[in-house]
Amino acid sequence: MTTILVTGATGFIGRSVCGVLRGQRYRVRAAVRTRGTAIDLADEEVVVGELGPQTRWDAALDGIDAVIHLAARAHVLRDDSPSPEAEYLRVNREGAEALAEKAAARGVRRLVFVSTIGVLGDGRERAYSETDVPDPASPYGRSKLAAELALARIAKASTLELVIVRPSLVYGPGAPGNFRKLLDWAHRGWPLPLGGTRNARSLIYVENLAQFLAVCVTHPAAAGETFVISDPDNRSTAQLIRGLATTMNRRSRLFTVPPKLVEVAARALGMRKTYDRLFGSLIVDARKARERLGWSPPIAMDEGLATTAAWYLAAGHR
């Protein structure tokens, strides 16, 4: 039986990945920081401690056929590190590099590295694809790009097959970060000046991403490739909030203000990045994944959004 090591197994994406892999009859080993945290997720767990250049990977990699590397430093809202950029690099680049070096030395066949669409930029009107030159605008994006480059060097010098996956914003039950904010806004029905948004955002449902990563573990055409990935539909910020509100039987109170006025106000309040996320576009062209690997997302966006909203309500947000 093929045994796959999943790092970040207890996280938002990792839980879905473990479920999909076990459903496909893979044996799943979870790399965890503390014992007993992945008992319900994987067939076995191995304690590796904190992610970084000194992580203990030997026991975790024993008998492993492939690795899906999800663990990373992300969603740090109040960063009290003396050097956030250095800390992102230590965890995301040096941690991934140490894992890849050990995996290559132990003869692991394939490493699927989950990066981010942010290595290409923070958004634009034209869709991102695999042919774009990376232009990360955040410490997180820069650390992920640095990791990609380090892993590519290791793969080139060994028999390790590397697959790089750059997802768009991931949503689904348990979603953290920006998507959780959209759920909060839709549920609370706050008056927001977002009615005039005409942007387009690509997203990917967490189980769709998990299914794609499972394909990348074994598909011969995935070896040595980089993929950007998203659901096929794009939505504006207003469409997302209104759709989520309707699903939760809430009334959305979005009103229209000229975007330029909102931008001026956002600049004055030091919220330019928030404005860019809400009014800007970030579109992904995932044709390569469909054409090269024959992949298509099994769950439609409307179904994924409805499932996410139902989870939000069941979690006590009523």
Side-chain angles (χ1 to χ4, degrees):
M1 178 181 291
T2 300
T3 304
I4 300 172
L5 176 69
V6 179
T7 74
T10 59
F12 164 53
I13 299 173
R15 288 178 172 272
S16 287
V17 169
C18 289
V20 166
L21 292 175
R22 295 181 81 186
Q24 295 182 12
R25 304 301 179 93
Y26 292 109
R27 183 168 184 82
V28 177
R29 180 181 298 164
V32 297
R33 285 181 291 182
T34 55
R35 188 167 303 281
T37 54
I39 291 175
D40 61 333
L41 300 173
D43 298 290
E44 55 184 295
E45 62 176 24
V46 176
V47 177
V48 298
E50 297 290 333
L51 181 62
Q54 305 303 320
T55 305
R56 305 182 300 273
W57 291 115
D58 288 311
L61 290 167
D62 187 28
I64 288 297
D65 299 290
V67 177
I68 297 179
H69 185 42
L70 287 158
R73 186 177 198 262
H75 304 300
V76 181
L77 300 179
R78 294 179 179 84
D79 201 331
D80 57 2
S81 169
S83 177
E85 186 102 20
E87 187 63 11
Y88 273 107
L89 288 170
R90 186 187 71 82
V91 175
N92 295 347
R93 184 199 70 197
E94 295 177 34
E97 190 173 18
L99 170 59
E101 286 174 346
K102 286 286 187 181
R106 284 182 163 267
V108 173
R109 177 179 54 81
R110 185 171 292 187
L111 171 61
V112 180
F113 178 64
V114 182
S115 184
T116 171
I117 198 65
V119 303
L120 299 178
D122 275 357
R124 64 186 188 190
E125 295 302 317
R126 182 165 54 88
Y128 287 117
S129 73
E130 294 84 0
T131 61
D132 284 302
V133 176
D135 185 25
S138 69
Y140 174 67
R142 288 189 289 271
S143 70
K144 282 291 195 175
L145 176 59
E148 289 184 14
L149 296 174
L151 299 190
R153 288 192 295 270
I154 293 168
K156 186 176 181 180
S158 69
T159 59
L160 181 68
E161 298 173 349
L162 175 65
V163 185
I164 295 171
V165 179
R166 297 168 174 168
S168 57
L169 177 65
V170 185
Y171 70 99
N178 292 328
F179 198 84
R180 177 66 68 88
K181 291 179 183 177
L182 291 180
L183 285 164
D184 289 338
W185 294 345
H187 181 257
R188 293 168 183 170
W190 288 340
L192 296 168
L194 302 174
T197 57
R198 297 292 183 268
N199 60 337
R201 308 290 295 191
S202 291
L203 305 90
I204 184 163
Y205 186 55
V206 64
E207 189 164 335
N208 289 341
L209 175 58
Q211 294 281 356
F212 181 69
L213 295 176
V215 171
C216 289
V217 165
T218 58
H219 201 298
E225 297 292 342
T226 296
F227 298 95
V228 300
I229 197 70
S230 73
D231 290 347
D233 298 331
N234 302 313
R235 303 287 169 91
S236 70
T237 303
Q239 287 175 323
L240 283 170
I241 294 175
R242 286 173 177 143
L244 289 168
T246 298
T247 302
M248 291 188 279
N249 291 318
R250 292 294 192 273
R251 179 184 173 190
S252 62
R253 294 179 173 85
L254 305 184
F255 59 94
T256 301
V257 174
K260 198 65 181 177
L261 292 180
V262 180
E263 182 181 3
V264 170
R267 284 180 181 274
L269 295 170
M271 300 176 65
R272 177 55 195 263
K273 288 185 178 179
T274 299
Y275 170 85
D276 289 342
R277 286 194 295 268
L278 294 175
F279 284 82
S281 293
L282 197 161
I283 314 165
V284 171
D285 181 354
R287 280 182 294 178
K288 179 180 175 180
R290 296 194 299 271
E291 295 172 358
R292 188 72 59 88
L293 306 185
W295 177 82
S296 61
I299 298 173
M301 182 174 284
D302 285 339
E303 180 183 350
L305 291 171
T307 301
T308 306
W311 161 81
Y312 183 87
L313 294 175
H317 303 279
R318 294 187 180 279

